[in-house]
Amino acid sequence: PGVDENNGNLMMRMDQGQVSMIARRGDAAPGVSGTFWNLSNQLRINPSGQVAFNASVISGTNQNYGVWVAPTTQPELRATSFQSAPGTNRSFFNFGPPVTNDSGAVAFWATLGSSGIEDNGIWSNASGNLSLVARTGQQAAGTGFGVQFNDFSFGERMMLDGMGQTYFEATLRGAGVSTANDRGFWRESQGSLSLLAREGDLAPGLGATVNFSGLSGLVVNSGGQFAFIGTVTGSGIDNTNNRGLWASDVDGNLHLLVRRGELFNISGDLNNPEWRTISNVFMNSFFSGGEDGIRNNFNNQGQLAFRLNFTDGTHGIFVANTWSAVPEPASFLVLTAMATGVALRRRPRQT
């Protein structure tokens, strides 16, 4: 009784068996004038139990937006529509789902003004103050002069690790940019941006004539390591060997871990190897930074889980230990890509 469309949308939290309300449609929205309306279902919760979420707010006939963090049961405002956006001369308008880490830092994607998604960017308060990470039209780090960030409208592909570093995917525009090199991954750390990988750049571990043609599935752990699936093009590349998995070591160096067309020892024992040829490489990305309550296949001990299919019809889930100290990239696969999963034969399809 008493529940209708004006108060039936709510956000709850359970802690040690105790259920408490975080926010509810129709309740006053802390920090702004108005009441909560639409509460995002893409909330993040860190190991300390803090919940980060975005929501819309109704004030009279106006609808505004904001980002909140709930350390306990009372949400605290982090940013809202028409607030001045740091690093710009414009104001925030709308917000994507925020991400968080165990220290309670928050990063989010937002649009500026009321002109839609054409002018948008990413902000973080990991430094202690809310600061601009990257914005459309800004020179893109690690690229040539005149190459600019074009869009961040897929703000859900953004992560915040345990050190407060922000990771994101962006498209590019400007001098020399084409569909062959208009997408990449970046990381922001203490106000400085660095390029992690870009379409069109050389693919590590494959020589001087092989370049990335596609990037997907960026994953990170709370210690700042990252991994992704890449497709490649160039000399000697065809559809039997054009897809692989790359991962960084603890020093940030990028290595090719496994690739379609290569032999892989599924036994994990170099004395009694069982080699099979990889037909495909898969890795799910849940866009987690390792401390936000989202499942992650790259843990804080540097163990990375992935799936391999083989040409004999079998497949398996394997774990790579990316903390292994290696003298050169060529040794990375031998020392770390030891199978800890079990290769399974596909069941024949019923017809």
Side-chain angles (χ1 to χ4, degrees):
V3 177
D4 56 29
E5 64 178 9
N6 295 310
N7 60 11
N9 181 206
L10 66 161
M11 186 179 297
M12 308 289 289
R13 170 171 48 199
M14 177 177 288
D15 184 12
Q16 297 181 351
Q18 299 297 313
V19 177
S20 59
M21 184 180 300
I22 297 172
R24 182 177 183 177
R25 177 181 290 179
D27 285 354
V32 299
S33 175
T35 58
F36 284 125
W37 187 247
N38 286 323
L39 303 172
S40 173
N41 62 1
Q42 298 185 57
L43 67 153
R44 300 293 178 100
I45 182 167
N46 68 17
S48 299
Q50 297 176 319
V51 178
F53 65 97
N54 63 308
S56 63
V57 174
I58 296 295
S59 178
T61 59
N62 298 319
Q63 180 168 266
N64 300 323
Y65 307 90
V67 170
W68 286 263
V69 172
T72 55
T73 56
Q74 179 69 16
E76 299 174 357
L77 182 69
R78 292 293 183 264
T80 185
S81 300
F82 308 112
Q83 171 188 336
S84 178
T88 79
N89 59 359
R90 302 189 66 183
S91 300
F92 290 127
F93 179 63
N94 203 350
F95 301 88
V99 294
T100 188
N101 64 10
D102 195 28
S103 68
V106 172
F108 56 82
W109 168 85
T111 60
L112 298 175
S114 57
S115 59
I117 65 171
E118 290 82 4
D119 193 357
N120 59 88
I122 295 170
W123 284 260
S124 169
N125 68 358
S127 65
N129 297 308
L130 188 61
S131 304
L132 177 67
V133 172
R135 180 186 178 187
T136 53
Q138 173 185 335
Q139 172 71 35
T143 68
F145 179 77
V147 178
Q148 303 170 338
F149 289 124
N150 181 59
D151 192 44
F152 310 95
S153 61
F154 30 70
E156 70 275 8
R157 300 182 185 180
M158 176 183 61
M159 290 152 279
L160 188 67
D161 71 17
M163 296 182 290
Q165 300 179 127
T166 305
Y167 301 75
F168 61 91
E169 180 179 345
T171 57
L172 299 170
R173 68 189 185 205
V177 175
S178 68
T179 55
N181 61 5
D182 66 346
R183 188 178 297 272
F185 300 133
W186 283 263
R187 174 171 58 197
E188 179 269 342
S189 179
Q190 298 180 340
S192 178
L193 277 176
S194 58
L195 176 66
L196 303 181
R198 178 188 175 187
E199 292 176 351
D201 284 355
L202 287 176
L206 294 178
T209 60
V210 179
N211 303 79
F212 287 121
S213 58
L215 302 170
S216 64
L218 179 66
V219 299
V220 306
N221 64 16
S222 69
Q225 289 183 270
F226 62 93
F228 60 87
I229 294 289
T231 54
V232 294
T233 186
S235 178
I237 300 298
D238 56 33
N239 61 8
T240 67
N241 62 3
N242 65 346
R243 180 179 170 95
L245 170 61
W246 280 260
S248 71
D249 58 27
V250 291
D251 296 319
N253 301 308
L254 192 60
H255 303 271
L256 174 63
L257 192 60
V258 289
R259 179 168 67 123
R260 178 185 285 169
E262 292 183 337
L263 290 173
F264 185 86
N265 177 15
I266 70 164
S267 73
D269 184 351
L270 293 178
N271 295 318
N272 297 287
E274 186 177 347
W275 298 100
R276 300 188 189 181
T277 302
I278 300 170
S279 62
N280 216 340
V281 184
F282 302 95
M283 182 181 65
N284 289 327
S285 175
F286 304 103
F287 305 109
S288 169
E291 293 184 351
D292 50 17
I294 304 298
R295 54 185 172 170
N296 194 357
N297 50 338
F298 201 179
N299 70 20
N300 301 335
Q301 286 71 49
Q303 296 172 320
L304 177 66
F306 55 94
R307 169 176 164 153
L308 297 178
N309 289 1
F310 301 102
T311 55
D312 65 353
T314 59
H315 61 272
I317 305 297
F318 303 90
V319 175
N321 178 15
T322 64
W323 279 8
S324 293
V326 295
E328 56 186 7
S331 303
F332 190 76
L333 176 61
V334 175
L335 292 179
T336 67
M338 300 301 184
T340 60
V342 178
L344 304 174
R345 185 169 299 277
R346 293 192 187 96
R347 294 180 180 177
R349 292 184 178 177
Q350 306 255 338
T351 58

